[in-house]
Amino acid sequence: MTERKRTPWVVGVSGASGTPYAAAVLRGLLAAGESVDLVVSRASRLTLLDETGIAFRDAHWREDLGEWLERGADGKPATHPRPELDDVRYWGAGDLAAGPSSGSYPVKGMLIVPASTACVAGVALGLSKDLLQRVASVTLKERRRLVVAVRETPLNGQTLKHLVALDEAGAVVLPASPAFYAGATHIQDLVDFVAGRVLDAAGVPHRLYRRWEGELGGARPPGASGG
């Protein structure tokens, strides 16, 4: 029997606020049976520590990732079941010799969740200052799917130009903008909506949010008043 060739999605986590978005995307990929290569930028470690209290360490990444994926969007521990991490591979942000830094390394594409404006600029300009930016540049040159979930507001003219450049280069620019028609009752629902849209852009099946079916008020619980 021929062993299945591992072809992962690369998930890059930049320093923007929104680490729960990244956790939801990672949970969604693993639930769908996808392989994952993970790149966590240096700046994102500070954000992760601030938003969750988790110190992400290279030497203990598996333990720290497991704890992170168990957290709810409200920061509560042990909210989600800890997923199996056997098919997750972690690459340090400073490792420019990592597998995904080369176009010959087989991947399906890359999801940057969340993407800071600094990350957007670096990718748009092709700077490759760290592994996250380098992998994004490789993803574009190899014509693979790149989804950039930018998380910032307001956006200045320079960032808008960078986002247009990414769109023109073939990336999917996906602002982390949750919708409310899906009947959100908890912060996790809003996070899962954005994560679900990221997975939609990647073509990965999921059940993270209620899809629009053309029925007004369809998300309201029975007996809820519209007045």
Side-chain angles (χ1 to χ4, degrees):
M1 181 180 294
T2 303
E3 185 178 352
R4 179 178 68 91
K5 184 177 181 180
R6 184 179 185 275
T7 310
W9 285 98
V10 179
V11 176
V13 187
S14 81
S17 176
T19 55
Y21 292 130
V25 166
L26 287 166
R27 285 192 297 266
L29 288 171
L30 296 175
E34 298 285 346
S35 303
V36 173
D37 277 23
L38 178 63
V39 181
V40 178
S41 76
R42 290 188 174 93
S44 69
R45 296 175 189 233
L46 297 176
T47 309
L48 183 63
L49 180 63
D50 186 54
E51 294 183 345
T52 70
I54 295 172
F56 197 90
R57 303 159 294 176
D58 284 349
H60 303 279
W61 70 266
R62 191 177 296 273
E63 174 187 343
D64 297 336
L65 177 60
E67 183 181 354
W68 179 20
L69 297 188
E70 286 182 331
R71 297 260 172 155
D74 56 4
K76 292 182 180 178
T79 298
H80 302 280
R82 181 173 296 209
E84 292 292 333
L85 302 177
D86 292 342
D87 209 7
V88 177
R89 189 173 292 174
Y90 171 73
W91 302 96
D95 185 3
L96 293 179
S101 67
S102 170
S104 65
Y105 184 87
V107 302
K108 292 182 177 179
M110 183 179 191
L111 315 175
I112 305 179
V113 189
S116 66
T117 55
C119 173
V120 166
V123 176
L125 297 174
L127 298 183
S128 296
K129 293 178 66 176
D130 62 7
L131 181 61
L132 194 158
Q133 292 183 15
R134 169 61 185 169
V135 177
S137 294
V138 169
T139 303
L140 288 175
K141 82 178 181 69
E142 296 294 328
R143 302 296 191 267
R144 295 167 180 160
R145 180 59 56 95
L146 174 64
V147 181
V148 181
V150 60
R151 214 306 306 160
E152 186 58 270
T153 191
L155 297 172
N156 63 30
Q158 198 61 50
T159 297
L160 290 171
K161 291 176 183 177
H162 291 150
L163 292 174
V164 169
L166 289 178
D167 176 77
E168 291 176 343
V172 176
V173 176
L174 195 153
S177 302
F180 294 83
Y181 63 77
T185 59
H186 189 274
I187 185 175
Q188 188 68 58
D189 299 324
L190 298 175
V191 167
D192 285 347
F193 180 88
V194 172
R197 295 299 287 152
V198 170
L199 295 178
D200 287 345
V204 176
H206 66 87
R207 300 178 66 181
L208 286 176
Y209 69 88
R210 172 191 173 274
R211 297 184 182 277
W212 175 251
E213 296 177 348
E215 180 183 354
L216 292 176
R220 294 193 197 120
S225 173

